[in-house]
Amino acid sequence: MAVKIKTQYGDIEITNDVIATVVGGAATEIFGIVGMASKNQIRDNLNEILKRDNYAKGVVVRQVDERVAVDVYIIVGYGTKISEVCRNVQDKVKYNLKSMLGITANSVNVIVQGVRVIEE
């Protein structure tokens, strides 16, 4: 599915893959996140074989009426405050979707799949 935006010049369609890439890029910039948890093993393993960056890994986009609902599956670093990391992810994702794509996120659900010790 795609988000459709009507303008005076015509229609714009933004696919869920584009939305997932913007969300994944925003989430990986947050301090305390050490990785994204995979929700689609086949697609993510194929991207690893082809050596392509996959910012959409761990992101599920659903359409709810005229808005989108986003699920972000993350792995956080040991020693960081998990609630603060999740709140930062929600804020950054909502801001990036609004500023880059003009889409309002109905909800941004952050699911912490694991905690990893960061070696220094």
Side-chain angles (χ1 to χ4, degrees):
M1 294 184 75
V3 174
K4 296 179 181 176
I5 302 170
K6 294 186 185 231
T7 66
Q8 63 182 0
Y9 302 112
D11 296 336
I12 300 171
E13 287 189 24
I14 303 172
T15 65
N16 286 351
D17 289 336
V18 173
I19 296 168
T21 302
V22 170
V23 169
T28 55
E29 292 177 359
I30 303 296
F31 175 79
I33 294 183
V34 295
M36 302 290 285
S38 179
K39 293 310 292 176
N40 190 348
Q41 293 287 334
I42 296 171
R43 181 182 68 190
D44 294 337
N45 287 338
L46 181 63
N47 283 330
E48 285 180 25
I49 291 169
L50 297 175
K51 303 289 187 216
R52 290 192 292 180
D53 289 336
N54 184 14
Y55 288 114
K57 178 179 179 181
V59 178
V60 177
V61 179
R62 296 182 320 273
Q63 310 249 235
V64 179
D65 298 329
E66 294 296 318
R67 296 182 175 186
V68 295
V70 180
D71 297 334
V72 184
Y73 295 83
I74 62 172
I75 300 170
V76 297
Y78 181 79
T80 58
K81 188 171 182 181
I82 295 174
S83 62
E84 198 63 34
V85 171
C86 293
R87 190 174 301 111
N88 289 339
V89 170
Q90 289 174 326
D91 291 342
K92 181 83 171 187
V93 165
K94 282 188 173 188
Y95 174 77
N96 279 10
L97 285 176
K98 188 66 177 169
S99 65
M100 289 182 183
L101 303 177
I103 298 172
T104 304
N106 192 28
S107 65
V108 177
N109 303 312
V110 180
I111 298 96
V112 179
Q113 291 285 90
V115 176
R116 187 175 301 152
V117 176
I118 304 170
E119 296 180 15
E120 295 182 24

